[in-house]
Amino acid sequence: MSDLLLRPLGPDDEAQARAAHAELAADGFDFLHDERPGEPWAAYVERVEGLRRGVGLGEGRVPATFLVAEVDGEIVGRASVRHELNDFLATWGGHVGYGVRPAHRRRGHATAILRGCLEVCREHGIEQALVTCDVDNVGSAAVIEACGGVPDGVAPTAESVAAKKRYWVPTGL
């Protein structure tokens, strides 16, 4: 497997990122957070960077680092690292969210993405990262456990959220 690079979204990523967004929409997964129809790509990239710095946060949002995962010049997945937890994230969302495009699954990319995200968590002073996954997502649970995740029960189904397995993952801080 080639080296996976986690990096910020850039101005040249539009075609691949929009393709990934369309692919993962079939799974009910938003590759691009808060994408606004008709928003110019440069404005979207700038807005995502602002969210990392805590600028322009909507109600209930926390600062977060959005990264794409690239292998050999191709975007294979993405990650979001929340710098802190609000009530929703502390129950269902966690510090880290990640996804891998369907054609690139089962190649170790998700594990590499999560490991990279744990480094970002460390940079933000997070000692234990909360990482969650749908209760029926066996692959994601295996990734979290491979990265040292310690099970912390299941957050029940809520109004618009499926039940989630919860894990605490040491960041090495």
Side-chain angles (χ1 to χ4, degrees):
M1 179 175 79
S2 298
D3 290 333
L4 182 135
L5 171 67
L6 273 180
R7 61 169 179 77
L9 192 64
D12 296 330
D13 294 327
E14 182 175 13
Q16 286 191 61
R18 290 194 188 281
H21 188 75
E23 289 170 14
L24 289 166
D27 295 338
F29 184 87
D30 285 336
F31 187 89
L32 297 171
H33 287 289
D34 299 323
E35 181 193 32
R36 297 175 183 161
E39 181 178 27
W41 183 253
Y44 177 74
V45 171
E46 184 176 317
R47 190 161 53 84
V48 167
E49 174 55 23
L51 296 175
R52 183 188 64 78
R53 296 187 322 269
V55 175
L57 296 174
E59 184 178 335
R61 300 299 300 264
V62 300
T65 299
F66 182 88
L67 302 166
V68 291
E70 178 184 297
V71 175
D72 295 332
E74 185 173 3
I75 294 176
V76 301
R78 70 99 165 136
S80 182
V81 179
R82 277 76 73 159
H83 304 172
E84 58 193 64
L85 299 176
N86 58 23
D87 289 342
F88 175 85
L89 295 172
T91 303
W92 293 282
H95 287 101
V96 177
Y98 57 89
V100 176
R101 295 173 78 176
H104 300 281
R105 292 180 180 158
R106 304 190 59 79
R107 299 182 191 178
H109 298 320
T111 303
I113 291 169
L114 180 53
R115 286 193 176 126
C117 289
L118 295 174
E119 292 177 23
V120 176
C121 286
R122 224 178 7 254
E123 293 168 6
H124 288 279
I126 300 165
E127 293 180 37
Q128 298 282 325
L130 177 61
V131 185
T132 68
C133 66
D134 289 348
V135 293
D136 61 351
N137 192 335
V138 176
S140 191
V143 165
I144 298 166
E145 291 170 9
C147 290
V150 176
D152 184 37
V154 174
T157 301
E159 187 174 312
S160 62
V161 185
K164 302 283 185 183
K165 285 185 179 180
R166 298 167 40 90
Y167 295 86
W168 290 100
V169 186
T171 66
L173 183 65

